[in-house]
Amino acid sequence: MKLSFLATFASLVLDTSSKPTRRDFGLVGFGKDNPFGPTIGGSGGETVTVTSPAALVSALADNTPRTVIAEGRFNLTTRLQVGSNKSLIGSGKGAEISGKGITVADKTNVIIRNLGIRFILNHDGITIQNSTRVWIDHNEFESDITHGPDYYDGQCDIVRASDWITVSWNYFHDHWKSSLLGNSDAIRDVDTGHLHITYHHNYWRNEGTRGPAGRFGHQHVFNNLYEDYHYQAIHSRSDNQVLVEGNVFRGNTTEALSTYGLVIPDDSPNTSPDGDYEIDGFANLGATNDWGPATINITQVGNFTKAPYEYELTSLDSVEQVVKAGAGLGRI
Ligand SMILES: *[C@@H]1O[C@H](CO)[C@@H](O)[C@H](O)[C@H]1NC(C)=O
Ligand SMILES: *[C@@H]1O[C@H](CO)[C@@H](O)[C@H](O)[C@H]1NC(C)=O
Ligand SMILES: *[C@@H]1O[C@H](CO)[C@@H](O)[C@H](O)[C@H]1NC(C)=O
Ligand SMILES: *[C@@H]1O[C@H](CO)[C@@H](O)[C@H](O)[C@H]1NC(C)=O
Ligand SMILES: *[C@@H]1O[C@H](CO)[C@@H](O)[C@H](O)[C@H]1NC(C)=O
Ligand SMILES: *[C@@H]1O[C@H](CO)[C@@H](O)[C@H](O)[C@H]1NC(C)=O
């Protein structure tokens, strides 16, 4: 009794003298506060545990509310289609997805957490298309940059009028083109007014471009850690608006933020060796960022000056430690 009381007391004292050891990993941002209500995934429905690709595919196929706990390794032969009203959660230290990635298309209310999504070829790790209310949290995305920019596709691409999404506490590493929002000029009118996405407390390491690259939408990018982001981290182009605050840039990171429309040659040299010209985007800076060694190029200041919801900023000097300790698998 006395011992455990003392232990509790000691840890409380430690907490106040250093940093909080327990984090609130609850949903924050556009995935929570939006006109349609918070993303709740499968809550209220049954919970099932699956251990084979076939069982995983079938548990996610319909739109019935369901929490699907994925346990083990899933080497998929077709893309995993996630239905509406689903929570897909990796068990324990995380479930592994390889072979094919995950698609959320024409759906609403989807949560994906604690999955290791690795070396996906010919398509994105996760594609969110024409879907609303999605929370991508505490996953790990991994491939390599040695094969060049066009060998793999995106890690988490969000397109076709998708909206009200939060991407939080993910570990994105060893990949070229991370996260593209809005993928085609031909559907500018479809995307415009959508793509409200919050990116917070993600850890990006050894990446090339698109952390994220936004077009036509609004993104709030706060408290992320970028380490060795080689070419260009945050890109806002084609009338996109970003609110960028409390982020930390480290290592060999070249350009932290740009609104200059040019899609740099390093973003897609195989298809466009000289780069592609698009019109510029907009950026606003909120709480101070630590740009580290990186440059910024803000050609147009926008009007996305304040996020329309409550959120707690991590203090700038603890972002690096908090994100490294909290992002990725086995934390929830
Ligand atoms: C997945 O299956 C394919 C085809 O059988 C195989 O080539 C690949 O090595 C497997 N990947 C993993 C990670 O097991
Ligand atoms: C599940 O999702 C669909 C959209 O695909 C929605 O219309 C429906 O109301 C949801 N069902 C429940 C029980 O929440
Ligand atoms: C988008 O998804 C909705 C279902 O949520 C569907 O009714 C609509 O046809 C889809 N739009 C396109 C362009 O695919
Ligand atoms: C930084 O990254 C760029 C792009 O990958 C590379 O050309 C350069 O050599 C790197 N610099 C250092 C000091 O590692
Ligand atoms: C910054 O943007 C301007 C256009 O306003 C462009 O001329 C310049 O090359 C950009 N700088 C870099 C380093 O890309
Ligand atoms: C914000 O700026 C964009 C681009 O100039 C403009 O189209 C939009 O109407 C502005 N929004 C508001 C609320 O002023």
Side-chain angles (χ1 to χ4, degrees):
M1 261 313 205
K2 197 165 187 185
L3 246 178
S4 82
F5 168 78
L6 277 176
T8 309
F9 183 72
S11 75
L12 282 175
V13 170
L14 270 181
D15 278 3
T16 53
S17 62
S18 55
K19 62 268 164 185
T21 49
R22 279 184 64 85
R23 296 240 123 232
D24 174 10
F25 286 132
L27 175 57
V28 172
F30 285 122
K32 173 167 179 257
D33 294 305
N34 65 63
F36 303 101
T39 304
I40 58 167
S43 14
E46 61 172 347
T47 297
V48 299
T49 298
V50 298
T51 56
S52 72
L56 180 63
V57 166
S58 113
L60 294 167
D62 60 18
N63 294 326
T64 305
R66 187 176 300 116
T67 295
V68 178
I69 309 290
E71 203 174 280
R73 295 173 177 272
F74 300 83
N75 190 1
L76 305 172
T77 52
T78 55
R79 284 184 74 79
L80 183 61
Q81 306 287 335
V82 183
S84 295
N85 315 310
K86 291 293 178 301
S87 299
L88 165 56
I89 303 176
S91 170
K93 297 206 160 130
E96 298 287 323
I97 304 287
S98 57
K100 301 284 180 187
I102 300 175
T103 296
V104 181
D106 312 331
K107 299 298 186 299
T108 187
N109 187 29
V110 171
I111 295 174
I112 299 178
R113 306 179 82 184
N114 208 31
L115 299 183
I117 300 168
R118 306 187 199 280
F119 301 95
I120 306 301
L121 282 168
N122 304 318
H123 205 331
D124 310 319
I126 294 181
T127 305
I128 301 168
Q129 179 174 325
N130 183 37
S131 294
T132 55
R133 296 162 67 223
V134 182
W135 185 23
I136 304 296
D137 179 73
H138 279 99
N139 302 289
E140 180 176 345
F141 297 82
E142 172 188 12
S143 55
D144 61 69
I145 60 172
T146 51
H147 283 88
D150 289 315
Y151 188 73
Y152 300 100
D153 206 336
Q155 290 183 306
C156 181
D157 284 3
I158 304 177
V159 300
R160 314 261 153 163
S162 290
D163 223 346
W164 315 119
I165 294 170
T166 294
V167 177
S168 52
W169 300 103
N170 297 286
Y171 181 23
F172 295 98
H173 64 102
D174 298 289
H175 190 91
W176 205 288
K177 302 190 282 191
S178 187
S179 192
L180 179 68
L181 320 172
N183 63 343
S184 172
D185 272 329
I187 57 161
R188 160 184 282 272
D189 292 347
V190 170
D191 277 337
T192 296
H194 300 286
L195 300 167
H196 291 88
I197 307 169
T198 305
Y199 283 83
H200 75 89
H201 295 96
N202 297 288
Y203 180 18
W204 268 286
R205 189 186 59 73
N206 196 33
E207 300 262 304
T209 58
R210 308 186 182 175
R215 313 169 77 202
F216 320 117
H218 287 74
Q219 298 91 42
H220 181 205
V221 182
F222 74 92
N223 286 155
N224 299 282
L225 172 63
Y226 299 81
E227 195 175 290
D228 298 332
Y229 213 111
H230 296 289
Y231 297 101
Q232 183 180 61
I234 304 165
H235 196 197
S236 181
R237 62 186 200 246
S238 285
D239 288 332
N240 190 73
Q241 305 253 358
V242 284
L243 170 59
V244 177
E245 53 180 346
N247 300 287
V248 170
F249 297 81
R250 292 280 181 263
N252 184 8
T253 295
T254 310
E255 187 170 51
L257 166 64
S258 175
T259 63
Y260 178 35
L262 176 70
V263 180
I264 57 171
D266 313 286
D267 199 32
S268 234
N270 297 0
T271 48
S272 197
D274 302 320
D276 282 313
Y277 283 91
E278 290 182 19
I279 59 174
D280 292 5
F282 299 87
N284 287 87
L285 302 180
T288 307
N289 296 278
D290 177 353
W291 306 116
T295 60
I296 62 171
N297 195 5
I298 300 178
T299 59
Q300 300 188 112
V301 173
N303 52 24
F304 184 20
T305 54
K306 198 174 179 313
Y309 46 74
E310 280 184 27
Y311 60 104
E312 198 181 317
L313 276 169
T314 300
S315 71
L316 193 60
D317 60 4
S318 55
V319 166
E320 188 167 2
Q321 182 270 324
V322 163
V323 170
K324 279 186 177 170
L329 302 180
R331 317 282 200 194
I332 56 169

